[in-house]
Amino acid sequence: MESKTNTDTNSKAKDFLKKSALNILDLDTSEIMVIWSLRHWAACSITGEDPKDLFTICREQHQLPDVSVLIEEVVYGIAEGTDEKGPIGGELCDHIHYGEFKILEAICMLQNDMYEDAMNSLFGWLKKYQGRKVLKCLNALSAFLDQSNLIIPPRPQYRNNLVTH
């Protein structure tokens, strides 16, 4: 029997997928970069490939410092922190998965100094310990993305009223 939290999370994920107007083609470069990084790292952890090889190209293209350890910790934090199936999509998937959306939402909130909202967003679907770990990594990642002008746009789908940069 599923726990109430598990059922709530699964319901949120299913509801999100039904209502989401976002697919990969609707995203800004910053959002695509974050999702691609999560997907690539997750895929490589399954295949045994070194994700840093292709990740280096992405870093160079966007003039980012080496944030690979942050991406790695976020992917592992999601894997350990949720019982949801498929929170991160495959590299060729054309729609956004619930976990990817929640990461974009949290980064957007962090880039707009909405730390408590980002924390509440992550804690709503991740176990507390992993939510804290992911929040800390995303806080650092959001600063590096901001510095490289990779701003996550304040979309209406990200549930709060955000100020724009």
Side-chain angles (χ1 to χ4, degrees):
M1 187 169 146
E2 284 185 290
S3 70
K4 179 163 176 40
T5 306
N6 236 7
T7 305
D8 291 345
T9 300
N10 289 338
S11 295
K12 287 179 193 175
K14 288 176 186 171
D15 192 41
F16 166 75
L17 290 173
K18 286 180 193 170
K19 294 180 180 176
S20 177
L22 293 179
N23 67 42
I24 296 300
L25 299 176
D26 296 331
L27 301 179
D28 280 1
T29 301
S30 57
E31 294 167 306
I32 291 171
M33 198 281 292
V34 169
I35 290 175
W36 179 84
S37 296
L38 294 171
R39 289 179 177 186
H40 180 66
W41 208 279
C44 286
S45 70
I46 294 167
T47 64
E49 295 176 61
D50 185 359
K52 291 183 180 181
D53 294 341
L54 283 175
F55 199 73
T56 301
I57 297 167
C58 180
R59 280 192 357 250
E60 290 171 358
Q61 181 181 1
H62 296 291
Q63 288 117 28
L64 279 170
D66 186 358
V67 294
S68 59
V69 70
L70 298 173
I71 298 294
E72 179 179 27
E73 289 300 319
V74 168
V75 169
Y76 290 133
I78 291 170
E80 294 174 10
T82 185
D83 295 324
E84 178 188 332
K85 290 184 167 89
I88 298 175
E91 290 184 279
L92 301 177
C93 189
D94 67 350
H95 64 276
I96 298 176
H97 287 240
Y98 186 72
E100 297 163 347
F101 173 81
K102 295 304 280 183
I103 295 301
L104 290 174
E105 178 181 62
I107 292 172
C108 182
M109 291 172 179
L110 290 167
Q111 286 182 331
N112 286 281
D113 303 323
M114 299 174 72
Y115 305 105
E116 189 171 325
D117 291 332
M119 180 181 70
N120 291 334
S121 175
L122 291 173
F123 285 16
W125 68 285
L126 291 173
K127 295 173 188 163
K128 189 172 183 174
Y129 171 75
Q130 294 303 332
R132 287 182 71 240
K133 179 179 169 181
V134 169
L135 178 66
K136 290 176 182 181
C137 292
L138 289 181
N139 196 31
L141 180 60
S142 70
F144 287 120
L145 293 173
D146 205 333
Q147 180 181 341
S148 296
N149 202 29
L150 290 167
I151 306 299
I152 304 299
R155 297 178 177 278
Q157 291 92 338
Y158 304 146
R159 64 188 164 104
N160 291 308
N161 296 322
L162 300 176
V163 295
T164 58
H165 276 270

